[in-house]
Amino acid sequence: MRVAVAQGKAYVAASGGGLEIYDVSDPLGVYRLSHLSFPDGSGGSVVTDGEVENVEVVGNLVYVANYDGGLRIVDVSEPQSPQLVGGYDALGDVFDTQVLGDRVYL
């Protein structure tokens, strides 16, 4: 499990459990804002394939290393209602992402 924290939110790569977003602005009152269900599309507001391996937050975008599902890009400007805005189906498995300027490295 990997976690990225930005602007009072924690973005948790929960492997087969998908992506979870928590409000951590008050350490005594942490609560879950949303959960993005993965591999089979049976629930959640964003559907991708595979397991979530890592996340990177840049502004209002979360770059999701989605293992055999490739790269998924999620707009979290409204963290209670995240929206899938892009992605890339890689030829191999994706375990990590690195955003540098206007490029994403897998």
Side-chain angles (χ1 to χ4, degrees), residues 2-13 19-22 24 33-34 36 52-65 71-79 82 85 96-101 103-105:
R2 295 193 184 179
V3 178
V5 178
Q7 301 171 346
K9 309 293 184 290
Y11 302 88
V12 179
L19 174 69
E20 297 190 351
I21 303 174
Y22 291 86
V24 295
L33 293 169
S34 59
L36 310 180
V52 175
E53 296 294 329
N54 198 11
V55 294
E56 182 171 357
V57 181
V58 179
N60 287 324
L61 297 176
V62 176
Y63 296 83
V64 178
L71 169 70
R72 297 295 175 249
I73 304 169
V74 179
D75 180 339
V76 293
S77 55
E78 295 183 31
V85 295
D96 203 357
T97 62
Q98 179 68 49
V99 179
L100 297 172
R103 296 184 189 268
V104 180
Y105 296 91

